[in-house]
Amino acid sequence: MSDLISVTDLRVDLGSATILRGIDLTVGEGEVVALLGANGSGKSTLMRALLGLVPISGGDASLFGISVRNQRRQVPWPRIGYVPQRASVGSGIPATALEVVLTGLLHDRRWHVPRGGRTRALDALASVDLADRAHSPLHQLSGGQQQRVAIARALVRAPELLLLDEPMAGVDRPTQATFARLLTTLQSEGTTVGIVLHELGPIRPLIQRCVVLRHGVVAHDGGAPAPAPGHGAADHEHVHLDHGRHEPTDVREAVTPRSLP
Amino acid sequence: MSLLDSLISVVSSPMLQRSLIAALVVGLAAPVIGTYLVQRRLSLLGDGVGHVALTGVAMGWLVGSWTGAEPNDAYAVLGAVIAAVIGAILIEVVRSRGRTSGDVALALLFYGGIAGGVVIISLAGGTNANLTAYLFGSLATITTGDLVMTVIMAAVIMAVGIGLRTALFAVSQDEEFARSTGLPVQVLNILIAVVAALTVTVSMRVVGLLLVSALMIVPVAIAQLVTSSFRRTMFTAMGGGAAVCVIGLVITFFHRLAPGATIVVLAICVYAVIAAVRPLLGAGRGRAADPHPDMDDDVNVSKAGAQE
Ligand SMILES: Nc1ncnc2c1ncn2[C@@H]1O[C@H](COP(=O)(O)OP(=O)(O)O)[C@@H](O)[C@H]1O
Ligand SMILES: [Mg+2]
């Protein structure tokens, strides 16, 4: 089995701070891996480092066996889809959902929308239940709908490796259910998925493996942490305990045995 | 003399024909790159580049006076192109670094551009009056050679701006995502900067360096009032830009007004009128459909409770 993602002793410094250090991680073909951790623990930075969007200061990260650090140009970008954390709300110029999704068809060697690209983009929008909003300007869509446009923009690439950064943050339950269905389909088609989450929620059954970051190092790599009794997912616990931000309503957490080291 | 007679005399005058063609192609080309600049929130880049281009004009003049070129501003446009391209690339580098000091760096570039231009033109034995044509436009004195140059540059701007539309849109709309697709974002950013610099120098003839940015931005501002897609915004802005340039210029054939300023004032009036009447026009559109997505509620609302 070949590794689609391979990270060895990765270190990332931003400004004067070391954000990630000593990260070792491999993700094999067809795996669905959740990346969990408190706010600011470095989840987004890890994903961005993998994609070569932030400079790597030590170690290495490879995609499809090719170093992102040293051979960025050789990385097979068309096989990779990325959904950034914040759905970017357009600027002054109105742009339609379809126009945004069409940009997902481009890569290092392709600067134009290919033949049949429009149909593919409309299909991608349909797969996130937005077929009827293709011609709506982005700024008229709700946050959840904009998030789904960003997912469609990654899906239109028909990626073998899909990286999603908190795709379910702030979306309503029906959108979460749609997303869980979509992920099931992708998994059955053999797509490798890396997904940053705050809680596993409706996609818990799909997740075979969880990687938990804490203060920029890997704190756990293995099965899904068991949910704490009477509370959401166990990763939730880390969010509060790691940073000592106990909310008064969550006192229970302090006495709940932690399921993770 | 009737209006028709005067129109005929306009159309049969080669000088006025040249200025009309120049106004038309510049009016078409300037909003193309303006659309990307508005998208990138770089509406003022044109102004910055325009200021720097003035130093280029003066440099060209200086070289002309050293080499005894005839006329002595033979290298002025070349100088403007070179300075504008360098200025635009510098601004892009500062922008992409995202440094907080970038704001100050840009300000230095702007003021340095104007002051440098004035100092160098006096070194070259010229006066500020020599710069006026570049600052406020000089459509009336456009030669056939100038016109050919203008048409070629406008064609290049439109070929790049329209031909690479999806890629340039991608880097302007979401740079982070564009980088993750493997697109050479830095190359595309520099391309936008360079084409913006060309647009500034080609528009210099029509409205002058001080108003160049208006020609790039105001038609886009008008277009986005009435459109809902990037593509249509660009093409509407091109049409609007060409229309205000030609109409503004024709007005100056009948009234003694400065063409460049007239064009810009006309464009701003169009913007004001459309912005004012838009709520009336849009009132009937899209009201029938419920804008809310058809979704189940996230919370259980008791029907009985709601009715009490
Ligand atoms: N560009 C940056 N420069 C400096 N620090 C940054 C930058 N981006 C993120 N950080 C810091 O890195 C840490 C991890 O951020 P991030 O990866 O976004 O966390 P997460 O996605 O897990 O919430 C945070 O403390 C954040 O403040
Ligand atoms: Mg994050």
Side-chain angles (χ1 to χ4, degrees):
Chain A
M1 193 178 77
S2 58
D3 290 329
L4 263 59
I5 299 177
S6 148
V7 178
T8 46
D9 197 26
L10 179 77
R11 204 183 85 226
V12 173
D13 300 319
L14 293 175
S16 56
T18 299
I19 310 295
L20 298 171
R21 65 201 132 84
I23 307 269
D24 288 299
L25 184 68
T26 55
V27 176
E29 210 173 317
E31 268 193 282
V32 176
V33 179
L35 185 56
L36 308 169
N39 273 327
S41 58
K43 306 180 296 293
S44 298
T45 305
L46 175 55
M47 209 163 249
R48 299 177 70 227
L50 274 176
L51 290 160
L53 301 177
V54 291
I56 292 171
S57 11
D60 203 357
S62 305
L63 296 175
F64 295 91
I66 293 161
S67 163
V68 171
R69 189 178 184 188
N70 303 316
Q71 302 162 278
R72 191 172 197 282
R73 284 158 171 276
Q74 272 90 279
V75 173
W77 296 110
R79 297 160 74 181
I80 300 163
Y82 172 50
V83 180
Q85 178 162 10
R86 32 110 214 112
S88 83
V89 181
S91 50
I93 306 280
T96 64
L98 179 61
E99 286 180 313
V100 171
V101 173
L102 283 172
T103 64
L105 289 164
L106 307 184
H107 53 75
D108 43 349
R109 314 265 172 71
R110 190 204 277 152
W111 294 15
H112 294 275
V113 175
R115 197 174 297 241
R118 224 181 130 81
T119 317
R120 282 171 62 188
L122 290 169
D123 289 347
L125 278 167
S127 73
V128 293
D129 290 341
L130 280 180
D132 55 330
R133 298 306 229 137
H135 300 286
S136 301
L138 209 57
H139 62 84
Q140 282 179 14
L141 301 182
S142 72
Q145 288 172 327
Q146 291 182 5
Q147 192 69 5
R148 281 187 274 158
V149 171
I151 294 171
R153 180 177 64 175
L155 289 179
V156 76
R157 302 170 76 74
E160 292 162 52
L161 173 62
L162 182 61
L163 296 175
L164 307 107
D165 196 345
E166 298 202 28
M168 306 224 284
V171 304
D172 46 20
R173 268 192 287 160
T175 299
Q176 291 191 16
T178 309
F179 182 71
R181 269 202 313 279
L182 184 69
L183 209 58
T184 313
T185 315
L186 289 171
Q187 190 177 29
S188 67
E189 289 167 356
T191 309
T192 308
V193 180
I195 175 169
V196 174
L197 291 172
H198 257 293
E199 46 189 311
L200 295 174
I203 64 164
R204 167 172 285 275
L206 303 171
I207 305 292
Q208 301 130 7
R209 186 176 153 204
C210 289
V211 173
V212 180
L213 284 186
R214 186 192 295 164
H215 292 299
V217 298
V218 175
H220 168 88
D221 185 351
H231 194 61
D235 63 282
H236 215 126
E237 225 175 285
H238 286 273
V239 173
H240 303 291
L241 287 180
D242 285 353
H243 288 267
R245 273 192 255 120
H246 294 275
E247 275 126 49
T249 50
D250 276 350
V251 255
R252 220 176 328 140
E253 279 184 352
V255 292
T256 310
R258 300 172 64 190
S259 53
L260 289 174
Chain B
M1 200 164 67
S2 76
L3 189 66
L4 189 66
D5 290 334
S6 30
L7 269 180
I8 289 170
S9 77
V10 164
V11 174
S12 55
S13 149
M15 196 268 280
L16 296 184
Q17 281 171 1
R18 284 198 297 271
S19 60
L20 269 176
I21 295 172
L24 176 73
V25 297
V26 168
L28 272 177
V32 171
I33 220 68
T35 313
Y36 298 110
L37 296 185
V38 173
Q39 177 94 5
R40 298 163 81 80
R41 301 180 185 281
L42 275 178
S43 299
L44 296 180
L45 180 127
D47 289 303
V49 172
H51 286 52
V52 176
L54 192 71
T55 296
V57 165
M59 293 272 225
W61 203 298
L62 190 60
V63 172
S65 73
W66 283 341
T67 57
E70 195 57 48
N72 55 2
D73 65 344
Y75 300 120
V77 173
L78 183 65
V81 171
I82 294 171
V85 168
I86 294 173
I89 292 176
L90 272 178
I91 293 172
E92 166 56 28
V93 168
V94 170
R95 186 200 69 84
S96 67
R97 293 277 161 81
R99 295 277 158 80
T100 40
S101 59
D103 190 34
V104 177
L106 292 188
L108 291 176
L109 206 60
F110 293 2
Y111 310 139
I114 286 279
V118 172
V119 168
I120 294 170
I121 199 79
S122 37
L123 281 182
T127 64
N128 291 350
N130 296 126
L131 289 179
T132 308
Y134 298 95
L135 284 174
F136 296 105
S138 54
L139 262 182
T141 59
I142 195 165
T143 66
T144 308
D146 294 335
L147 182 62
V148 170
M149 194 63 197
T150 302
V151 171
I152 291 174
M153 278 167 67
V156 170
I157 292 162
M158 287 191 276
V160 174
I162 299 172
L164 291 178
R165 193 174 63 234
T166 313
L168 298 180
F169 168 70
V171 297
S172 307
Q173 204 262 338
D174 187 344
E175 187 166 322
E176 170 109 339
F177 174 78
R179 285 170 70 198
S180 83
T181 65
L183 277 174
V185 168
Q186 214 170 1
V187 172
L188 292 168
N189 281 339
I190 299 255
L191 191 63
I192 291 177
V194 168
V195 176
L198 291 184
T199 308
V200 166
T201 39
V202 78
S203 313
M204 171 172 86
R205 268 287 177 197
V206 176
V207 292
L209 289 172
L210 287 182
L211 290 174
V212 153
S213 211
L215 214 50
M216 297 163 80
I217 303 302
V218 180
V220 179
I222 295 172
Q224 66 181 352
L225 288 177
V226 296
T227 58
S228 59
S229 81
F230 186 82
R231 198 182 114 94
R232 266 192 248 134
T233 301
M234 179 180 283
F235 290 122
T236 307
M238 289 172 68
V244 293
C245 280
V246 169
I247 295 170
L249 181 60
V250 169
I251 291 173
T252 66
F253 293 160
F254 302 104
H255 301 278
R256 285 179 49 85
L257 296 169
T262 307
I263 288 168
V264 173
V265 168
L266 179 65
I268 289 173
C269 289
V270 171
Y271 176 86
V273 168
I274 292 185
V277 302
R278 187 174 70 126
L280 310 176
L281 293 177
R285 208 197 321 156
R287 270 287 167 81
D290 180 1
H292 306 99
D294 205 7
M295 290 282 175
D296 297 331
D297 289 334
D298 276 346
V299 292
N300 286 318
V301 182
S302 149
K303 285 261 165 59
Q307 275 163 2
E308 269 166 20

